[in-house]
Amino acid sequence: RKAPNAIKHGEGTLAFYRQNRQHFQDNDSETEEYLLRFLGDLYVKQGNLAVGVKDLRASLALCQAPKVDCGADTGRILRDLGIGLYFTDDAKGAEQMLREAAQSSHAFNAQMATNPSEAPTSDLEMEALRWLERVLVAQHRTDEALEIAQRCRAGALSLTLTNRLGGPFKEASAAP
């Protein structure tokens, strides 16, 4: 019951924003991108895949416009779009989006890290890779799926060690 209300309010907010865009400081489409991503995700979760994928594609287009930097949101949009495409039985499209989501998330983390070569694996990257694994299994590409699963396990171990040891794994691993 909460999702239909959220969709109704989200659609209303998007319509209001589009009609009154000139009165907002962020006239660079950041708000519209966020609302489309929010609605797209809700529609996919509700099973309205066509509308969800359409909204997520529109959100991604806004993020990829010149002079627009959506940061980590790009990875989220790509992940959500990949999931939506997976459920519409577009395995090739889903695979492409999920690979791009993992790559985008990793690139964002490397950009934010002090030492880009030691950028940690993020939860977003891990989730995109787990969905990619599902897509590959659905395509009967088990060897590639196993490689992705191994990459996920290595990333999860790295995240766990980093969280438990309270710092970058490389520094913490110097102790015996």
Side-chain angles (χ1 to χ4, degrees):
R1 188 147 163 93
K2 291 180 183 178
N5 284 337
I7 288 172
K8 182 176 117 182
H9 291 298
E11 289 287 358
T13 303
L14 180 61
F16 178 82
Y17 175 78
R18 285 176 171 166
Q19 290 172 355
N20 299 287
R21 180 185 316 256
Q22 71 277 9
H23 300 295
F24 289 86
Q25 277 186 326
D26 76 332
N27 201 6
D28 61 2
S29 301
E30 183 179 319
T31 300
E32 186 172 8
E33 176 274 316
Y34 171 80
L35 289 167
L36 285 166
R37 178 170 43 95
F38 170 77
L39 287 166
D41 184 46
L42 280 176
Y43 279 121
V44 167
K45 287 178 179 172
Q46 287 293 302
N48 192 342
L49 301 173
V51 175
V53 166
K54 178 184 70 69
D55 283 352
L56 289 166
R57 285 188 192 279
S59 179
L60 182 61
L62 289 172
C63 269
Q64 293 176 334
K67 299 182 182 179
V68 176
D69 180 17
C70 291
D73 286 347
T74 302
R76 287 183 188 95
I77 297 166
L78 288 164
R79 177 205 56 204
D80 293 346
L81 183 53
I83 293 168
L85 291 171
Y86 171 72
F87 286 121
T88 62
D89 295 323
D90 180 359
K92 292 282 186 204
E95 178 184 349
Q96 178 186 349
M97 292 301 121
L98 292 166
R99 286 187 189 278
E100 288 181 29
Q103 182 181 16
S104 174
S105 176
H106 186 76
F108 178 77
N109 289 340
Q111 183 181 9
M112 304 312 284
T114 307
N115 184 351
S117 65
E118 296 176 10
T121 303
S122 70
D123 290 334
L124 177 60
E125 183 180 356
M126 296 289 295
E127 187 176 1
L129 289 172
R130 285 187 198 106
W131 277 100
L132 177 59
E133 182 184 346
R134 287 173 124 172
V135 169
L136 293 171
V137 167
Q139 296 178 61
H140 307 290
R141 293 164 55 193
T142 53
D143 289 345
E144 290 176 78
L146 287 171
E147 288 175 22
I148 296 296
Q150 188 62 27
R151 185 173 162 193
C152 284
R153 279 192 287 279
L157 177 62
S158 176
L159 277 173
T160 300
L161 290 173
T162 298
N163 289 336
R164 286 190 182 167
L165 298 175
F169 176 66
K170 187 169 184 152
E171 291 174 16
S173 66

